[in-house]
């Protein structure tokens, strides 16, 4: 963060009412969040100064017209005082448009030109998910937005096709397509958590110890909230499947080139003593699952690469108010190919 050592803290106060939407409240108590912020500040080598702490209350009277009034105030304060923002717990709020809008304003992506000097490059740090940074925040927001749109479209299509009257024989295929965005997000979550789990394994942690460590260190569960054993076990299964897919991808390509059946591939892997992601002997079903995971990982990487390539043109599309034809021409001239799933 250079020579700037001024900080502003942002905390979301736990909800007091069960009627408050889950998205809008924090899982950690105020004391716990404040402790994490102090730990972050103590780890800085530049003698940091905490200027102010903003606390978003679940019963804030402004909530009915503005979801994140304290976050907006915190961002404004950061820009006015050239300070960086420490977020105690961001959870899955990258998918919340109103929340993301304020963070994008902080880092200059949606900031009005007359608001503050553009010479100051604001940063932010998320105590519960330190891998979320300024460099990847925009991509995470766009990815979440695209996934929401796609999921909504597929749900509508799925509902229309799977009604009792339709008698659709391909209902299972429709359901798979509807669930694809959620599955992709779960796979990405497992990829991000894999280094953390690896460190726990190297320390000899049991699964229950891993659950405790994840909660103590402020990592939120896939759907938000505290970790429980069953959630960890699902993530561990995804991590094992990811590891197998990434490790065996080259071999699987060779097997497919030789037109080996899934059964033949399973027999071959068993003879070689290659461990399966299920921790038991390979079967044709496990081979098919790994093959599918390889494809899923490729789709995710391809989609994320597409979003990164697309961002400059989307910005131009927004600023210059390009027509759809002009936008398509910009894509063509830039050599950007739209993935089939995004078309």
């Amino acid at each position: 963060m250079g020579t700037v050592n001024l900080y502003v803290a942002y905390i979301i106060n736990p909800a007091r009412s069960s009627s408050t939407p889950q998205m809008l409240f924090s899982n950690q108590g105020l004391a716990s969040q404040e402790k994490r912020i102090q730990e972050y500040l103590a780890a800085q080598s530049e003698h940091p100064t905490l200027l102010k702490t903003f606390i978003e209350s679940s019963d804030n009277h402004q909530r009915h017209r503005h979801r994140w009034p304290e976050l907006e105030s915190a961002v404004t304060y950061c820009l006015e005082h050239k300070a960086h923002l420490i977020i105690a717990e961001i959870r899955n709020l990258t998918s919340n448009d109103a929340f993301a809008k304020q963070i994008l304003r902080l880092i200059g992506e949606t900031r009005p030109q007359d608001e503050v000097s553009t010479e100051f490059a604001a940063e932010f740090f998320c105590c519960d998910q330190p891998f979320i940074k300024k460099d990847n925040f925009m991509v995470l927001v766009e990815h979440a937005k695209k996934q929401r749109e796609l999921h909504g479209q597929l749900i509508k299509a799925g509902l229309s096709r799977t009604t009792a009257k339709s008698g659709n024989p391909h209902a299972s295929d429709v359901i798979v397509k509807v669930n694809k965005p959620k599955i992709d997000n779960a796979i990405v979550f497992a990829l991000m958590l894999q280094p953390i789990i690896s460190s726990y394994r190297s320390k000899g942690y049991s699964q229950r110890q891993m659950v405790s460590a994840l909660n103590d260190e402020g990592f939120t569960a896939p759907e938000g909230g505290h970790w429980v054993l069953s959630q960890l076990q699902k993530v561990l299964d995804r991590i094992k499947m990811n590891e197998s897919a990434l490790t065996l991808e080259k071999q699987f390509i060779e097997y497919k080139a030789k037109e080996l059946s899934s059964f033949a591939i399973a027999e071959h892997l068993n003879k070689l003593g290659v461990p399966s992601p299920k921790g038991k002997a390979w079967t044709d079903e496990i081979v098919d699952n790994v093959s599918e995971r390889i494809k899923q990982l490729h789709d995710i990487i391809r989609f994320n690469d597409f979003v990164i390539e697309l961002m400059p043109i989307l910005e131009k599309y927004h600023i210059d108010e390009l027509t759809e034809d002009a936008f398509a021409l910009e894509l063509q001239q830039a050599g950007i190919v739209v993935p089939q799933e995004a078309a």
Side-chain angles (χ1 to χ4, degrees):
M1 292 189 180
T3 58
V4 179
N5 59 357
L6 302 178
Y7 295 91
V8 170
Y10 174 73
I11 293 173
I12 304 176
N13 191 22
R16 299 177 184 176
S17 169
S18 60
S19 62
T20 304
Q22 185 180 11
M23 173 69 77
L24 301 183
F25 63 85
S26 168
N27 299 298
Q28 300 179 5
L30 285 177
S32 176
Q33 293 188 67
E34 289 170 351
K35 179 182 177 182
R36 292 189 64 81
I37 288 171
Q38 291 302 323
E39 288 174 348
Y40 172 76
L41 291 171
Q44 306 308 302
S45 59
E46 302 171 347
H47 304 291
T49 299
L50 181 61
L51 297 179
K52 191 172 182 179
T53 297
F54 290 82
I55 300 177
E56 198 80 71
S57 175
S58 61
D59 57 356
N60 191 305
H61 70 281
Q62 299 185 60
R63 269 290 169 81
H64 69 282
R65 59 186 176 86
H66 190 328
R67 261 189 172 180
W68 310 104
E70 289 301 311
L71 177 60
E72 182 178 27
S73 298
V75 169
T76 299
Y77 193 90
C78 284
L79 296 176
E80 290 176 349
H81 295 80
K82 295 188 176 181
H84 301 299
L85 183 66
I86 308 172
I87 302 172
E89 183 181 311
I90 194 169
R91 296 184 63 207
N92 56 350
L93 289 169
T94 54
S95 62
N96 182 284
D97 288 339
F99 188 96
K101 180 181 178 181
Q102 295 304 323
I103 302 301
L104 293 173
R105 184 166 72 93
L106 172 72
I107 62 179
E109 295 293 340
T110 60
R111 190 188 307 166
Q113 293 183 355
D114 59 349
E115 183 171 28
V116 292
S117 171
T118 56
E119 295 177 359
F120 174 62
E123 299 278 357
F124 68 92
F125 178 83
C126 305
C127 294
D128 62 330
Q129 299 182 65
F131 53 80
I132 297 179
K133 299 181 182 296
K134 177 179 178 178
D135 294 339
N136 63 15
F137 185 78
M138 190 68 171
V139 174
L140 290 172
V141 170
E142 287 297 322
H143 179 75
K145 182 178 179 181
K146 187 66 181 179
Q147 294 289 58
R148 285 199 310 274
E149 292 174 355
L150 179 60
H151 198 215
Q153 293 168 4
L154 291 175
I155 285 176
K156 290 179 181 178
L159 289 174
S160 64
R161 296 178 192 176
T162 56
T163 57
K165 292 182 179 180
S166 69
N168 182 11
H170 304 294
S172 60
D173 294 337
V174 173
I175 292 172
V176 168
K177 289 182 178 180
V178 169
N179 286 332
K180 186 179 187 305
K182 292 185 69 176
I183 294 171
D184 285 353
N185 286 338
I187 293 172
V188 171
F189 186 90
L191 285 171
M192 288 182 169
L193 201 66
Q194 188 167 342
I196 307 298
I197 297 299
S198 295
S199 70
Y200 291 164
R201 285 173 174 166
S202 67
K203 296 175 183 177
Y205 283 9
S206 67
Q207 290 186 3
R208 293 190 182 279
Q209 288 174 320
M210 290 183 186
V211 170
S212 297
L214 287 168
N215 286 325
D216 291 344
E217 294 174 17
F219 290 98
T220 52
E223 299 296 331
H226 288 289
W227 286 85
V228 296
L229 184 59
S230 60
Q231 289 173 317
L232 173 66
Q233 289 170 340
K234 289 178 181 178
V235 172
L236 291 178
D237 286 343
R238 294 187 189 110
I239 288 176
K240 290 177 183 176
M241 187 63 70
N242 288 345
E243 289 174 341
S244 292
L246 294 170
T247 303
L248 298 172
E249 178 184 4
K250 185 177 179 181
Q251 287 177 248
F252 270 55
I253 292 174
E254 293 175 354
Y255 295 152
K256 295 299 181 182
K258 295 178 181 178
E259 298 184 353
L260 294 180
S261 67
S262 296
F263 181 79
I265 294 174
E267 281 196 327
H268 184 66
L269 291 172
N270 285 327
K271 288 179 181 178
L272 293 176
V274 177
S276 84
K278 299 294 185 181
K280 52 187 178 182
W282 284 88
T283 64
D284 54 347
E285 181 181 357
I286 297 176
V287 169
D288 290 341
N289 289 340
V290 173
S291 296
E292 177 62 21
R293 181 55 54 88
I294 292 172
K295 181 180 180 300
Q296 289 170 330
L297 289 171
H298 273 283
D299 287 346
I300 290 169
I301 293 170
R302 187 162 57 99
F303 180 77
N304 287 342
D305 287 344
F306 167 69
V307 171
I308 292 171
E309 284 186 299
L310 192 62
M311 288 311 302
I313 297 179
L314 281 175
E315 184 69 17
K316 185 176 181 181
Y317 177 79
H318 175 70
I319 295 174
D320 297 346
E321 298 183 351
L322 300 178
T323 64
E324 291 185 7
D325 290 339
F327 180 65
L329 182 61
E330 289 279 347
L331 291 178
Q332 184 179 2
Q333 291 176 344
I336 298 176
V337 179
V338 180
Q340 188 173 358
E341 291 84 354

